[in-house]
Amino acid sequence: MTDILKDEAEILNGVEELLLVTDETTEAESTEDIQQTPGAVTAGEKTEAGNTVLPQTKTAVTNKKHWSRRLVIVTGDKGGVGKSTFARGLAQTYLDMKKEFLAFDADISNSHLSRFYGDKCLVRELDFFTEGNVDIFLDDLKELIEDSLDTEGAVIPGKSLFLLELPPQSMRILKDVVQQMKFLSTVDELYDMRVTIVVVISRVMDSVKQLITLYDFCQDQVDYVVVKNLFFGSPENFVRYKESSDITAMKDILIESNIPFLEITMPDLIEHAYDYLDKNSLTFNQGIEQKEKPSVKGRVSTWISKFKEQVWLAKSILGLENVPRL
């Protein structure tokens, strides 16, 4: 574990130098610099996951465009993979870095964002499975990004950063939203908003399959962050993901098209500390500030520090750009 953390620290230092070269560094430049050189792409046939990895059939949308707004969608389709923990960690990071954002908790059967952060930031619940609710969500975004006036006539700037946590088993609904509502192209063209899909994975084959399925209907219309949850083991233990030819082909296509596809890890939080936060519905920051359990304070403090180091690697597509590193 010490060697892994040392390697991650070295990577972080190198990436940070690239990201902080000048204030004028664009979103495209910061993300492209940390991607690997694309290799050969074999596409067009059925893959091991039962999907078809196709080459781009249209001019790729590249990150040479700088969008003024960002929607970060956290998914992991299978329950228990760690998406709620990641969403909470990202919300805490936004708060600590004083980023203005609005969160949507669509996992209403297990509303972690609402329960832990509902009184710390703006969190709205969204019933993702009820027909018509996503249509309302899309229309609500239009009002939320527009400036408004307070009672005294002062301008209240519209929101530019949104966090959406999806419930388990929502891939079919998301696919319908993308294909039938043209959700991704609509928010791009009308709202000047880019979507980042965060996929939290475990070591099982289902994680590989759902990521490929996601790519099949999102293609180059989104940026991608794959999060390896270290609760399931060290990064090198994600063998099914690492050795999947489907994933390799998908990554090569995206990187060749200048679409960010970034891989980070989420540190494991020891069960004793995690359960204490859960039992008392504490934010990560509250876990650090409480004095009842010194062990929890230390564990959570270390966890959130490592978490922030990792999300910093994808800062330009997670809405963390133009902020000082803590």
Side-chain angles (χ1 to χ4, degrees), residues 27-266:
E27 187 169 308
E29 292 168 339
S30 60
T31 52
E32 289 171 8
D33 283 343
I34 59 178
Q35 295 170 359
Q36 296 178 351
T37 303
V41 176
T42 302
E45 298 181 352
K46 285 292 182 182
T47 68
E48 61 204 47
N51 307 101
T52 303
V53 176
L54 298 174
Q56 300 298 336
T57 56
K58 59 187 180 64
T59 302
V61 178
T62 75
N63 260 14
K64 292 186 180 303
K65 172 180 177 179
H66 183 82
W67 289 268
S68 60
R69 301 178 181 94
R70 177 74 56 171
L71 169 61
V72 179
I73 301 177
V74 181
T75 183
D77 214 46
K78 194 175 181 64
V81 76
K83 63 177 181 56
S84 292
T85 303
F86 184 88
R88 285 159 53 197
L90 191 55
Q92 184 67 66
T93 304
Y94 288 154
L95 288 170
D96 291 346
M97 293 185 169
K98 304 194 183 315
K99 294 290 293 183
E100 291 287 340
F101 73 103
L102 175 61
F104 291 90
D105 190 344
D107 192 355
I108 58 176
S109 64
N110 188 25
S111 304
H112 275 210
L113 275 178
S114 297
R115 178 159 71 95
F116 289 87
Y117 286 90
D119 62 346
K120 302 299 179 184
C121 60
L122 294 174
V123 180
R124 296 185 181 181
E125 291 193 351
L126 172 64
D127 185 354
F128 203 68
F129 291 111
T130 298
E131 187 175 2
N133 278 3
V134 180
D135 300 62
I136 296 173
F137 167 67
L138 178 60
D139 292 339
D140 284 348
L141 282 177
K142 181 177 181 297
E143 295 184 9
L144 291 167
I145 66 175
E146 294 176 346
D147 294 345
S148 59
L149 299 177
D150 64 15
T151 55
E152 298 180 354
V155 176
I156 303 174
K159 302 293 183 185
S160 60
L161 178 59
F162 301 90
L163 171 62
L164 169 61
E165 181 193 348
L166 292 183
Q169 309 303 319
S170 59
M171 189 68 69
R172 179 184 61 81
I173 303 296
L174 182 59
K175 181 178 181 180
D176 288 345
V177 168
V178 171
Q179 294 183 334
Q180 296 180 17
M181 290 178 58
K182 305 298 182 183
F183 181 87
L184 298 175
S185 59
T186 297
V187 298
D188 182 5
E189 296 168 9
L190 299 184
Y191 302 166
D192 193 28
M193 180 184 294
R194 182 67 168 178
V195 175
T196 296
I197 297 282
V198 177
V199 186
V200 185
I201 67 171
S202 65
R203 293 162 54 187
V204 300
M205 190 62 192
D206 281 350
S207 288
V208 175
K209 290 181 178 179
Q210 66 99 12
L211 178 54
I212 295 169
T213 299
L214 185 71
Y215 169 78
D216 275 350
F217 61 83
C218 289
Q219 296 278 311
D220 63 1
Q221 296 182 89
V222 303
D223 299 330
Y224 297 84
V225 178
V226 175
V227 181
K228 298 177 183 179
N229 187 352
L230 299 188
F231 171 80
F232 299 104
S234 58
E236 61 267 22
N237 289 336
F238 287 72
V239 177
R240 292 176 179 83
Y241 172 82
K242 180 181 178 180
E243 296 183 351
S244 170
S245 58
D246 302 349
I247 297 294
T248 299
M250 178 182 70
K251 288 165 60 176
D252 288 345
I253 291 170
L254 290 170
I255 293 174
E256 188 175 38
S257 302
N258 293 323
I259 305 300
F261 185 99
L262 308 180
E263 298 176 357
I264 63 176
T265 61
M266 180 167 68

